[in-house]
Amino acid sequence: MTEWKDVLQLVGSTLGSDAGDCILEFLRVLPEEVTEGRKINLTEEELSDRTRELLEENATQVLRLLIQYSQSSASAVNNPYLLECITSWLREIPPSEIINSPIFDTIIDALSTEQAFEAAVDCICTIFKDTRDVDESIDTIQKLYPRIVALKPKIVEAADTEDLETYKGVTRVFAEAGEAWVVLIARMPGEFRSLVEAVLECCARDWDRDAVSLTFNFWYELKQYITLEKYIQARMEFADIFSRLVDIMIQHLAFPTGAADGTDLFDGDKEQEEKFREFRHSMGDVLKDCCAVIGVTECLGKSYNLIQQWVTTYGSQATSTNVPHWQELEAPLFSMRAMGRMISPEEGIILPQVIPLIVQIPNQERIRFQAIMALGRYTEWTAQHPEFLQPQLNYIISGFQHDSKEVLRAAALAFKFFGTDCRKLLRDNATQLHDFYESVLDSLPPASQEELTEGVAAVLSVQPLDKVYDMFKLYCDPLIRRLMSLADSAQDEKRKLALADHLQLLTIFIQWIQPYVSPTVENPAVKYCQEIFPVLSAIAENFTSFPPILERVCRCWRHMVISYRTAMSPLLPSLARQLASGFETSRQGCFLWATDSILREFSEGAEFVDQATSTAIYQFFEQQALAFLRILNDLPPEDLPDVIEDFFRLLIDALIYYPYHVIPSTVSAPIFSAALTALTLQQEAPLTATLHYLRDILSYGTLNPSNSAFESENRQTSTNPPEIQAAVKQLVQSQGEVLVQRILTGMMFSFPRDCFPDASGVLLVLFELMPQEVALWVKGTIGMLPAGTVKPGEADRLMNGISDK
């Protein structure tokens, strides 16, 4: 209906003067429908013209109508439709015109009404967003700012009456004003201090802790600016505000009052409890912002003073079963944990005083949990202050005897950090730690077992070379015995999963313990791997139908290769046999994943790898490829998405390290055909791997293939041999038509959107290789599409565009 020009006049005259709300509703939806509406069957030029006619040319008239309505009766200020209409038309009406018109008084007055309050908040916050370009909007902001600051009494009023919705709305007004004008606040801290104080007051008076989160982004944005050298003056002027903000945040961190043991604080409402936990972590981010502004020493000092105050007041009354006012202790402990990332390892004022206090914290579940978690955040500091290590370590180790599962998990996580960051300090305690490790391992859940293992493995990683083998045996022989016992009794899924979890513990030791050994000397870690290899092989052979166990075994083998690289040569024949037979039997992609690590570490030209070994590794790859092709011939690709993904990721590395073996080989054409089969899938991961393989192999038909090979010493990249280019072009000649069909139909019907760039890349390389043939294949594919798939004329335009190129 582009010919309908007098839309406003006709609608207004048709509805009449008594249809105020109907007209307001029509005016509200008009900008939304034009700018955000459903798909409109207009050209871009027609839509642009229609937008100008309906919105831009009517903006002045609409503002006049809204002003008239706002002045028509005293009740107009109570009408939310009026405020919603103003908000909608702010797309077209500049905020300066709103501010300079009588209707702005209506918006401000509506903040004092119950019916229109929410709509007024939305409206005024939209005005803020439109004034974010502060240099352009400075005149508007100068007129708007005093009216906003004048709303501060509403904070006290809403807090005193405990009107939560009004309080949240007022908080949103001040917070979003601050976000919009944060640059001006940084430039002119004196002039805009009242606004920052208003946001702070909103935080301080939030009795229900439901509005304070609306201010978090403002504090972050303000911190980002005033920590710049350019705005150092603002940083100094707002230091007292951020100091008070620390006090407020720690106060809000406190759990609600309840049972002395900290149980059932939310009356069984798990959702509310989880929401509060997330809220606390967000407040922790605000504390980090405060550290950046006023420094970590002052922020930490506030936490320390609160802990010391509790110890002085209530410490003597605390028992193992009753800790009075534990919330007042737990909150500053959490704040210390939250600020841990901001603390320098060189801090020497507060932490030397507070750490001795923390290790005396009572055994109540929640505060013990928080104390252990806090200590775990300061392990980098402890590594620089070894005199504080032993008391903390004793406190954490004693936490493993606690009845609470939460405290156990905290202790395992903290021990991981102590082991990794203080491993050099703990190097001489490796033997003693083994007794502790063995005593607590079986009492922990799998995730905590991994964390504890990572901690002790980190300590073993710094052992002298002559102790590596003995330490491996000391710690891992009991694990191997557990594995054998679990394997013998693993008849149900639970026990099988337990076996998989214990395999992961062994892998962690292999990941961490990587001694430097001369290539001419036997690697003690590899010596131990040779001893345990038969056990891992037996487990893989006995659980061929349980993927989690196979994945963990293959992960362990893979990390053996990654950790010890060419030192694994003595194990290669056995490992290759197990990977080949395991893949053939189980048809699980994890065996290809492990194969990939061998392919990379023992490729042609790798240091300390002879030609015979490299050739044998390539033959092993071909063996795995043939096994994959047989599996794909037996099963539809829909049953093998993970295997297909792993195989083509293996192929990508094969093209990097063995391109001149893979491309002219007898398996090249069947692999290319397998890629075409894989393109019928609809899952993103296998499709992406397949498309990456196709892009890489097709690039070898050009002079400059896509590979990651390093340049030679004279910095001249090698030329792609003509016979390799010819081999790729032969593949395209024989299978390119099907490839074009699969790519085009996939992009039109089945490919996930994220696959489009790679699919387009495949087509572009095809056009580069054989432009005329590919153009014919594209035309043939379009001709095969069902009627109505392509609009009339679009196919011709596409083909003409291709011809022009």
Side-chain angles (χ1 to χ4, degrees), residues 211-248:
V212 66
S213 60
L214 298 172
T215 71
F216 291 166
N217 193 54
F218 165 70
W219 297 119
Y220 170 76
E221 295 286 348
L222 183 58
K223 178 267 298 186
Q224 290 289 85
Y225 279 98
I226 65 176
T227 51
L228 299 175
E229 188 66 29
K230 182 178 181 180
Y231 300 117
I232 188 65
Q233 182 62 37
R235 181 176 179 179
M236 291 189 294
E237 292 201 27
F238 291 139
D240 63 317
I241 288 180
F242 275 88
S243 180
R244 286 155 55 198
L245 182 61
V246 174
D247 297 328
I248 293 167

Side-chain angles (χ1 to χ4, degrees), residues 310-311 329 353-363 371 375 391 395:
W310 184 93
V311 170
L329 176 59
Q353 300 179 69
V354 75
I355 294 295
L357 277 181
I358 292 179
V359 297
Q360 300 176 46
I361 293 297
N363 210 32
L375 292 177
Y395 187 75

Side-chain angles (χ1 to χ4, degrees), residues 63 235 298 360 362 390 413 479 509 581 642 695:
L63 178 58
R235 181 176 179 179
E298 182 174 348
Q360 300 176 46
Q390 199 59 50
L413 181 60
L479 275 181
F509 282 107
S581 63
D642 294 336
R695 293 187 70 174

Side-chain angles (χ1 to χ4, degrees), residues 436-502:
F436 156 70
Y437 179 70
E438 281 295 308
S439 67
V440 302
L441 183 65
D442 293 333
S443 64
L444 299 174
S448 296
Q449 287 181 339
E450 292 183 22
E451 290 163 351
L452 177 66
T453 300
E454 191 165 348
V456 296
V459 175
L460 298 190
S461 71
V462 294
Q463 296 298 302
L465 184 62
D466 59 351
K467 290 186 177 181
V468 168
Y469 176 76
D470 292 335
M471 286 298 161
F472 245 130
K473 287 190 70 67
L474 179 65
Y475 277 85
C476 294
D477 275 0
L479 275 181
I480 293 297
R481 288 192 289 272
R482 283 187 178 89
L483 288 174
M484 296 171 66
S485 174
L486 286 167
D488 289 340
S489 61
Q491 302 300 321
D492 55 22
E493 185 173 355
K494 182 178 179 181
R495 290 181 178 273
K496 290 178 182 179
L497 289 174
L499 173 58
D501 291 335
H502 275 71

Side-chain angles (χ1 to χ4, degrees), residues 513-670:
I513 306 174
Q514 300 180 26
Y516 175 76
V517 182
S518 170
T520 59
V521 178
E522 182 184 34
N523 189 314
V526 175
K527 178 182 177 182
Y528 187 74
C529 289
Q530 288 177 288
E531 292 182 9
I532 65 174
F533 186 80
V535 177
L536 297 176
S537 299
I539 291 173
E541 291 167 358
N542 289 324
F543 293 92
T544 55
S545 60
F546 196 71
I549 289 178
L550 297 179
E551 288 171 4
R552 292 298 173 87
V553 171
C554 288
R555 178 181 171 85
C556 188
W557 285 338
R558 177 174 179 268
H559 280 286
M560 286 182 186
V561 176
I562 293 172
S563 294
Y564 311 126
R565 310 188 72 174
T566 52
M568 282 286 292
S569 295
L571 260 175
L572 273 186
S574 301
L575 180 55
R577 282 194 298 273
Q578 286 297 329
L579 291 174
S581 63
F583 181 52
E584 188 86 45
T585 305
S586 69
R587 301 181 173 184
Q588 293 296 317
C590 56
F591 290 93
L592 299 177
W593 185 48
T595 299
D596 197 8
S597 64
I598 298 177
L599 197 71
R600 275 180 281 170
E601 296 298 338
F602 292 88
S603 62
E604 280 189 319
E607 193 176 16
F608 308 122
V609 177
D610 57 53
Q611 184 60 46
T613 300
S614 179
T615 302
I617 295 301
Y618 175 73
Q619 292 170 350
F620 167 51
F621 157 74
E622 278 203 359
Q623 183 182 355
Q624 295 290 68
L626 289 170
F628 169 79
L629 294 171
R630 287 193 294 271
I631 292 170
L632 189 63
N633 188 56
D634 293 342
L635 296 172
E638 292 80 11
D639 293 349
L640 301 166
D642 294 336
V643 179
I644 289 172
E645 179 189 357
D646 288 328
F647 177 72
F648 283 105
R649 294 204 182 282
L650 173 63
L651 252 295
I652 292 168
D653 277 346
L655 285 173
I656 292 175
Y657 298 110
Y658 292 93
Y660 305 139
H661 290 74
V662 174
I663 293 172
S665 69
T666 56
V667 297
S668 185

Side-chain angles (χ1 to χ4, degrees), residues 32 44 70 100 194 353 365 458 622 692:
E32 295 176 4
E44 288 189 17
S70 68
N100 293 318
S194 294
Q353 300 179 69
E365 176 185 357
E622 278 203 359
H692 285 178

Side-chain angles (χ1 to χ4, degrees), residues 181-326:
W181 305 335
V182 66
V183 179
L184 281 181
I185 295 173
R187 288 180 190 169
M188 300 183 286
E191 290 85 341
F192 284 87
R193 183 180 175 90
S194 294
L195 178 57
V196 181
E197 289 176 338
V199 180
L200 184 72
E201 186 175 357
C202 290
C203 295
R205 294 182 179 274
D206 187 8
W207 72 96
D208 200 46
R209 293 185 282 205
D210 207 24
V212 66
S213 60
L214 298 172
T215 71
F216 291 166
N217 193 54
F218 165 70
W219 297 119
Y220 170 76
E221 295 286 348
L222 183 58
K223 178 267 298 186
Q224 290 289 85
Y225 279 98
I226 65 176
T227 51
L228 299 175
E229 188 66 29
K230 182 178 181 180
Y231 300 117
I232 188 65
Q233 182 62 37
R235 181 176 179 179
M236 291 189 294
E237 292 201 27
F238 291 139
D240 63 317
I241 288 180
F242 275 88
S243 180
R244 286 155 55 198
L245 182 61
V246 174
D247 297 328
I248 293 167
M249 288 297 118
I250 295 178
Q251 180 183 353
H252 284 322
L253 284 173
F255 272 98
T257 56
D261 61 357
T263 60
D264 200 20
L265 299 173
F266 297 88
D267 299 324
D269 190 340
K270 294 298 182 183
E271 183 178 349
Q272 188 65 25
E273 182 173 1
E274 185 60 31
K275 180 181 176 183
F276 180 69
R277 289 179 187 273
E278 294 175 5
F279 169 68
R280 296 179 98 204
H281 287 289
S282 297
M283 284 193 288
D285 292 335
V286 177
L287 288 172
K288 294 184 186 75
D289 296 335
C290 295
C291 288
V293 175
I294 63 175
V296 294
T297 299
E298 182 174 348
C299 295
L300 266 184
K302 290 177 177 292
S303 300
Y304 167 64
N305 290 335
L306 289 170
I307 294 172
Q308 191 177 46
Q309 180 180 325
W310 184 93
V311 170
T312 302
T313 308
Y314 304 111
S316 61
Q317 305 172 32
T319 67
S320 59
T321 57
N322 179 52
V323 180
H325 302 278
W326 63 268

